[in-house]
Amino acid sequence: MVKQVVPSVGPGENPTVESAPRDRAALVALARATLDGNWEHDHTVPSRTLYPHQWSWDSAFIAIGWAHARPERVWSELTSLFDAQWRDGRVPHIVFNPAVSDAAYFPGPGFWATGSVDAAPPTATSGLVQPPVHALAAWHAYRRAPSDQARAALARLYPRLVAQQHYLASHRDVGGAGLVSIVHPWESGLDNSPAWDDPMAAVPAEAAVLRAYRRRDIVHAAAAHRPTDLDYARYVAIVTAYRAAGYRDGDLAHRHPFLVECPLFNAALGAAEHALAGIAGEIGADPGPHRERAARITAAVVDRLYDPTTGTFHPRDLRTGRLTAARTVLGLTPLILPDLPARQVEAVLVEARSARFGLATAMPRPLPSHDRTAVDFEPQRYWRGPSWMNINWLVRQGLLGHGHAALAAGLGASMVQLAAVAGCHEYFHPDTGAGLGSPAFSWTAALLLDILAED
Ligand code: 2M8
């Protein structure tokens, strides 16, 4: 009898790992049930407790899972997100469900106050963005479950995906070198990664600011597994600065406290152009301009974010002009660029296969989010060590794209084994495999379905 119970991870509890791994059929059933349980009329919440609204890059990963479970939901998921696209082309990182109370998530719609912003849609949203993995997801999901209806939906989405790219390229190239700057760690998706420690240290804030607010995340997850109060004070300070300027992007270089070129965000930007070229070919549009933009983005990622002395990619802090020193899993993600030059592919593989990340054809655990050998590696704290399925899925796609099928198979097997034992958690202890954060997390379920479908 296969166990279906997920480990308990209430605040302050020390999660334990189950002993009996689920078989493939039980894992597929759990993943489908997790997605069904998080479905909310036209989109999927990442988690019923921690994240009761729609998140941008979550929806992209989730759409990939729906291609295997209920293909019509691929297009509901993406269309509902892009229905909240701003007039300037930005796709907001949170679309708030008006039926959910403001207090259910911090910071809620009242804090973002987009209702008075000209470019914002009538729906309440945040004013930030997340990595543009949507074109890649739409193209991947379409090829997993092609149909006439899917092609029509893809064609309707195409101009919106193009507008998303246009916003990023035209409004967010603060450094002027063809790369996007993120204006908040939340835009990276890896909120409290050690990659942001240096630029965050320069943001003036005190943890006491949090007395004016009520964090909801630590009601549902252990505080030791989440960002700190000081992190949150800085998150609030950066949003407050951006909000005060009406979420406008002009003149960011002179006034904004956090401006960083992130390797994952920019690799996603380039991968999106490759995916758009594929989509354009499928729907009778011109792939040429997408291919040209993709080549320029890849060249800029290598030129601006690759450090030949470490052999990996690092974020560039525009306030100092320097690359940040931490060697996080972000450094491996440019592998998703199909045209990443062989020299960088080889260097990133050396980094990934080192003791820092442990990539191998047979590996006990998936990649951690941070260098295991670093003094600030924290195996339970969110993006400072735990393993996450979405990043592992992206790196696996990169390995497949660059012809490293055996390494991709090793990584995929470690991901499946992790969930077979611990369930569809939000993140996982990178050594013990214990589930952390939400116990029923959508992108974990979705991406597992994608990997299982390949077997
Ligand atoms: C986490 O981020 C949100 C803020 O956007 C939070 O902590 O409240 C991150 O893991 C992010 O990557 C993810 O999209 C979001 C929802 O799953 O949660």
Side-chain angles (χ1 to χ4, degrees):
M1 183 72 189
V2 172
K3 285 166 85 182
Q4 290 284 349
V5 182
V6 292
S8 163
V9 287
E13 289 175 36
N14 200 9
T16 51
V17 183
E18 286 178 69
S19 49
R22 294 168 183 80
D23 64 15
R24 187 183 183 284
L27 194 50
V28 168
L30 175 66
R32 293 177 70 125
T34 302
L35 284 181
D36 276 335
N38 288 344
W39 175 253
E40 183 62 50
H41 70 276
D42 62 1
H43 67 275
T44 315
V45 296
S47 146
R48 287 269 165 210
T49 53
L50 273 160
Y51 315 108
H53 302 284
Q54 183 172 27
W55 260 259
S56 171
W57 80 328
D58 295 65
S59 278
F61 294 121
I62 290 164
I64 290 169
W66 283 129
H68 303 286
R70 300 180 192 276
E72 68 286 357
R73 289 191 181 170
V74 170
W75 308 105
S76 290
E77 188 74 46
L78 293 170
T79 303
S80 60
L81 175 69
F82 278 80
D83 281 349
Q85 187 168 29
W86 289 29
R87 270 198 294 283
D88 59 14
R90 92 182 71 190
V91 176
H93 104 288
I94 308 172
V95 181
F96 291 105
N97 179 349
V100 172
S101 94
D102 193 282
Y105 175 79
F106 174 77
F111 179 84
W112 295 94
T114 55
S116 55
V117 179
D118 281 349
T123 317
T125 73
S126 78
L128 301 174
V129 295
Q130 275 187 325
V133 290
H134 311 79
L136 186 148
W139 184 223
H140 190 88
Y142 173 75
R143 282 174 300 160
R144 292 291 200 215
S147 67
D148 288 347
Q149 293 95 318
R151 188 179 300 101
L154 189 63
R156 284 193 296 273
L157 198 59
Y158 172 75
R160 296 163 155 209
L161 293 165
V162 172
Q164 175 187 31
Q165 294 289 103
H166 182 72
Y167 164 75
L168 295 170
S170 60
H171 287 62
R172 289 296 194 85
D173 183 7
V174 182
L179 294 185
V180 167
S181 286
I182 57 170
V183 302
H184 195 295
W186 281 338
E187 294 203 316
S188 72
L190 277 65
D191 304 356
N192 68 339
S193 168
W196 319 128
D197 286 1
D198 291 347
M200 282 286 270
V203 176
E206 287 178 27
V209 170
L210 262 288
R211 287 200 205 112
Y213 303 101
R214 182 142 179 264
R215 280 180 65 176
R216 296 294 302 184
D217 57 324
I218 48 180
V219 174
H220 301 295
H225 304 171
R226 293 282 309 176
T228 64
D229 272 0
L230 183 56
D231 291 331
Y232 262 83
R234 291 190 167 119
Y235 297 154
V236 165
I238 302 170
V239 174
T240 304
Y242 198 34
R243 185 185 62 195
Y247 302 109
R248 277 187 296 275
D249 297 309
D251 207 29
L252 280 170
H254 297 108
R255 61 178 164 83
H256 196 69
F258 182 96
L259 289 169
V260 181
E261 291 172 355
C262 166
L264 167 58
F265 199 110
N266 283 289
L269 187 80
E273 293 296 346
H274 285 282
L276 285 167
I279 295 171
E282 179 72 15
I283 64 169
D286 181 5
H290 296 301
R291 294 205 186 105
E292 285 158 23
R293 282 197 284 272
R296 284 201 296 274
I297 294 166
T298 298
V301 166
V302 171
D303 183 47
R304 298 272 291 175
L305 306 183
Y306 179 71
D307 183 350
T309 60
T310 60
T312 189
F313 291 84
H314 299 258
R316 184 175 292 277
D317 181 353
L318 291 193
R319 294 183 73 264
T320 62
R322 289 196 297 270
L323 296 179
T324 65
R327 297 168 82 136
T328 72
V329 79
L330 288 168
L332 312 182
T333 58
L335 270 186
I336 63 172
L337 290 165
D339 51 353
L340 192 68
R343 176 186 297 233
Q344 278 72 34
V345 171
E346 291 313 314
V348 165
L349 284 180
V350 169
E351 174 81 352
R353 299 183 76 155
S354 74
R356 300 175 195 281
F357 295 100
L359 176 68
T361 53
M363 51 198 288
R365 300 279 175 230
L367 307 170
S369 46
H370 186 35
D371 169 5
R372 286 176 182 285
T373 67
V375 289
D376 55 357
F377 177 70
E378 291 186 72
Q380 303 208 98
R381 200 183 284 283
Y382 215 39
W383 292 99
R384 302 184 70 88
S387 302
W388 291 75
M389 287 294 183
N390 64 334
I391 299 295
N392 277 279
W393 184 88
L394 286 169
V395 172
R396 183 175 170 278
Q397 287 301 115
L399 290 169
L400 287 172
H402 288 284
H404 295 281
L407 286 171
L411 181 55
S414 73
M415 294 163 73
V416 168
Q417 176 62 17
L418 187 63
V421 176
C424 288
H425 275 264
E426 184 182 3
Y427 45 106
F428 302 85
H429 191 296
D431 304 321
T432 67
L436 300 167
S438 164
F441 194 66
S442 297
W443 82 37
T444 301
L447 298 175
L448 269 174
L449 287 177
D450 192 58
I451 290 178
L452 289 166
E454 280 180 16
D455 289 346

